[in-house]
Amino acid sequence: MSRNMLQEVESWRKATQISNGDYSLAAQQAAALKAQYLTSDQVPADVVEAEKEVLTKKTLEEGKPEAAVTKIVEGRINAFFKEIVLLDQESVFESKKSVKQVLDAAG
């Protein structure tokens, strides 16, 4: 986990006033799954656009109907965010829930 990500998690902890225990879970999650960003808003637009271009090309090469490409790429971008955005990742502590859902439920 990068130092920058740890700083992001710490700033977020202070802003949302989550407990130290919940902060620890978030930090462990970030380290385990190598989150690059805290929220999807922090992913640079050029990174998102480059990924969309790759996914659009891949989707068209798969022979998907052009009318469906936009929706398919949108779904794949959401999956991309789940890989690189900490709060969107599936929790390693509670499967089927995102890190944000787990932390929100913890209060």
Side-chain angles (χ1 to χ4, degrees), residues 10-58:
E10 175 62 16
S11 295
W12 177 73
R13 181 192 69 80
K14 288 177 182 175
T16 59
Q17 299 180 350
I18 64 171
S19 72
N20 283 336
D22 293 332
Y23 164 72
S24 176
L25 293 178
Q28 289 175 39
Q29 173 85 30
L33 296 181
K34 297 182 173 84
Q36 297 174 31
Y37 305 95
L38 182 63
T39 67
S40 57
D41 294 341
Q42 294 176 335
V43 181
D46 61 323
V47 171
V48 175
E49 284 306 311
E51 187 67 16
K52 280 184 181 178
E53 286 179 25
V54 169
L55 293 173
T56 299
K57 182 178 177 184
K58 177 182 176 185

Side-chain angles (χ1 to χ4, degrees), residues 56-67:
T56 299
K57 182 178 177 184
K58 177 182 176 185
T59 304
L60 289 170
E61 287 173 354
E62 290 172 348
K64 304 292 185 195
E66 281 199 42

Side-chain angles (χ1 to χ4, degrees), residues 30-102:
L33 296 181
K34 297 182 173 84
Q36 297 174 31
Y37 305 95
L38 182 63
T39 67
S40 57
D41 294 341
Q42 294 176 335
V43 181
D46 61 323
V47 171
V48 175
E49 284 306 311
E51 187 67 16
K52 280 184 181 178
E53 286 179 25
V54 169
L55 293 173
T56 299
K57 182 178 177 184
K58 177 182 176 185
T59 304
L60 289 170
E61 287 173 354
E62 290 172 348
K64 304 292 185 195
E66 281 199 42
V69 169
T70 302
K71 286 208 177 260
I72 293 169
V73 169
E74 185 178 308
R76 290 178 174 178
I77 284 292
N78 288 333
F80 172 69
F81 285 147
K82 288 179 182 179
E83 291 177 16
I84 65 168
V85 175
L86 176 63
L87 295 180
D88 291 348
Q89 288 180 342
E90 183 176 328
S91 171
V92 295
F93 302 101
E94 290 188 43
S95 62
K96 308 264 191 236
K97 288 186 178 183
S98 70
V99 171
K100 182 167 182 3
Q101 290 170 325
V102 169

